[in-house]
Amino acid sequence: MNDAFTLAWQYTAGLVHPEGLPMAAAELLAAGVGEESPALCELAGRRGRGEPSAELTELLWQAMAELGLPVPDDDLVRRCVLHRTAARLTSGEITPGEAVVRLWHLGGSNATAAGERLVEVVDQLCCPDCLDGWAPGTQQTWEQELRAAAVAVTAEPDHELTASWYRD
């Protein structure tokens, strides 16, 4: 079920587009997730392109209900994005600049103390492009602070995000 919820929060966050929902649903079914959901099966059978986005979205939400999973609200989506970005930055999968782009304007996430600190470090920039204009020593110090805040996010438990239906 974790994969189905991950699809829902990533869709809500704009990381998956409506036309990508049928393929994502088919991948879930191929992985053995959601065979008991008629809506997920129907979504997997859609073309995606040229189909009304509202219909595809409604099928996703119907599948979530059939699977007994919550439809993520904006606050939970922001927290998922925050946690996923922190984990990817900590692992070296993305750069500090890429993390800033993903976290820009994420404030008000009702995150843990570590999450709020990460957002504060990101907010020290006036815009995502400002990284390029900093003096090398200043930028290096800021990047170290950003990485430390990301490590704290990944280390501090967020009980709602560690529920059985969440997966990064």
Side-chain angles (χ1 to χ4, degrees), residues 89-132:
L89 177 62
T90 300
S91 73
E93 187 179 338
I94 62 173
T95 67
E98 290 169 321
V100 166
V101 169
R102 286 170 174 77
L103 297 176
W104 191 250
H105 297 299
L106 195 66
S109 65
N110 196 21
T112 62
E116 291 298 334
R117 176 66 187 133
L118 180 56
V119 171
E120 287 173 12
V121 174
V122 168
D123 286 346
Q124 290 175 3
L125 297 174
C126 62
C127 68
D129 296 329
C130 292
L131 262 176
D132 298 332

Side-chain angles (χ1 to χ4, degrees), residues 57-102:
T57 301
E58 181 56 37
L59 283 170
L60 175 62
W61 299 152
Q62 186 177 345
M64 295 297 288
E66 291 169 353
L67 296 171
L69 298 171
V71 173
D73 61 21
D74 290 341
D75 180 59
L76 186 55
V77 169
R78 283 191 297 270
R79 289 169 54 202
C80 289
V81 169
L82 180 78
H83 189 272
R84 178 175 187 245
T85 302
R88 293 179 73 205
L89 177 62
T90 300
S91 73
E93 187 179 338
I94 62 173
T95 67
E98 290 169 321
V100 166
V101 169
R102 286 170 174 77

